[in-house]
Amino acid sequence: MTTIGIIGAGHIGSQVARKAVELGYDVVISNSRGPETLQDLVAELGPKARAATATEAAAAGDFAVVTVPLKNYKDIPVEPLAGKVVIDTNNYYWERDGRVPALDQGLATTSGLLQEHLPESKVAKGFNHIMAKDITTDGTPAGTENRRALATASDYPEAAELVTRLYDEFGFDTVNVGLLSESWRVERDRPAYVARQTAAELKDNLAKAPRTI
């Protein structure tokens, strides 16, 4: 069975862990405060989950989910993620993260920054434009009318394909935005951000997105 390394155990990370365990995945989850602070969550998740350090979670995962505040992305361990798909949920909140001129000026994307930090990994955007609570409640079987859709983007087709497969297992259709350089279309404050939308609606919202806010 596939193991997912989850780096970040906040709202998104814990919800991804809950759904992944429900689907039969093994989960190794970490946060910045140490494994001992995750015992209640791990007890809730059950025997298919364990707490670890970020480096241990990165090493244990067949692929990883990085879900930390953007200001902390350079703390993500590099070596144990080499060659692996890394799903990035980051969003830029300048009020929390401080100003990042390259993002303000439309010269970079949040996931592109993580890809630069992880040059040997295959970063894909995922789970950044959905409320955490909806991850475990809004999914429906494939083919369901008005099924909710989520976006991904990656410079690596195999990474986008992994996200597409995971989205489907979680109960969502996928719209592939393209390369990470286009992932700004689903970032904060754009039309697609946290809206409940079908694949057709998501495509329309992506097309309407302004480059800078």
Side-chain angles (χ1 to χ4, degrees):
M1 176 53 64
T2 301
T3 298
I4 306 176
I6 300 179
I7 301 173
H11 297 303
I12 295 288
S14 59
Q15 284 292 81
V16 170
R18 289 182 179 101
K19 190 63 180 181
V21 166
E22 177 187 320
L23 292 168
Y25 286 95
D26 292 317
V27 166
V28 181
I29 191 166
S30 65
N31 65 8
S32 61
R33 293 177 294 134
E36 66 279 359
T37 67
L38 294 172
Q39 294 312 306
D40 288 347
L41 176 61
V42 169
E44 174 200 333
L45 294 173
K48 296 191 74 64
R50 65 181 176 90
T53 66
T55 298
E56 290 167 343
D62 296 297
F63 66 91
V65 177
V66 168
T67 178
V68 301
L70 180 67
K71 64 181 179 179
N72 297 331
Y73 80 92
K74 290 185 178 179
D75 295 334
I76 302 302
V78 176
E79 183 179 359
L81 292 173
K84 297 181 181 181
V85 172
V86 176
I87 302 173
D88 171 47
T89 79
N90 282 337
N91 288 301
Y92 173 41
Y93 288 93
W94 60 265
E95 304 92 333
R96 174 196 66 192
D97 301 317
R99 286 291 187 181
V100 180
L103 296 177
D104 292 335
Q105 297 166 19
L107 302 176
T109 66
T110 56
S111 293
L113 294 176
L114 184 63
Q115 181 68 81
E116 290 177 8
H117 176 66
L118 301 173
E120 302 301 320
S121 301
K122 301 171 183 179
V123 173
K125 196 74 175 175
F127 294 108
N128 79 297
H129 66 114
I130 180 172
M131 297 291 290
K133 62 182 179 59
D134 294 343
I135 291 173
T136 56
T137 59
D138 262 21
T140 54
T144 301
E145 186 176 5
N146 295 321
R147 192 187 200 204
R148 185 169 183 171
L150 299 175
T152 191
S154 181
D155 295 343
Y156 297 91
E158 61 270 37
E161 289 167 7
L162 187 151
V163 175
T164 298
R165 183 172 68 251
L166 191 66
Y167 276 170
D168 187 54
E169 292 173 351
F170 275 46
F172 304 100
D173 286 340
T174 302
V175 174
N176 190 334
V177 180
L179 300 177
L180 289 181
S181 59
E182 290 294 305
S183 62
W184 56 268
R185 294 181 180 278
V186 74
E187 289 179 352
R188 176 192 176 186
D189 293 336
R190 273 88 175 173
Y193 192 67
V194 302
R196 193 196 188 287
Q197 54 213 313
T198 64
E201 291 166 339
L202 177 51
K203 290 175 183 177
D204 287 343
N205 283 331
L206 292 168
K208 291 187 293 187
R211 183 62 184 90
T212 56
I213 299 296

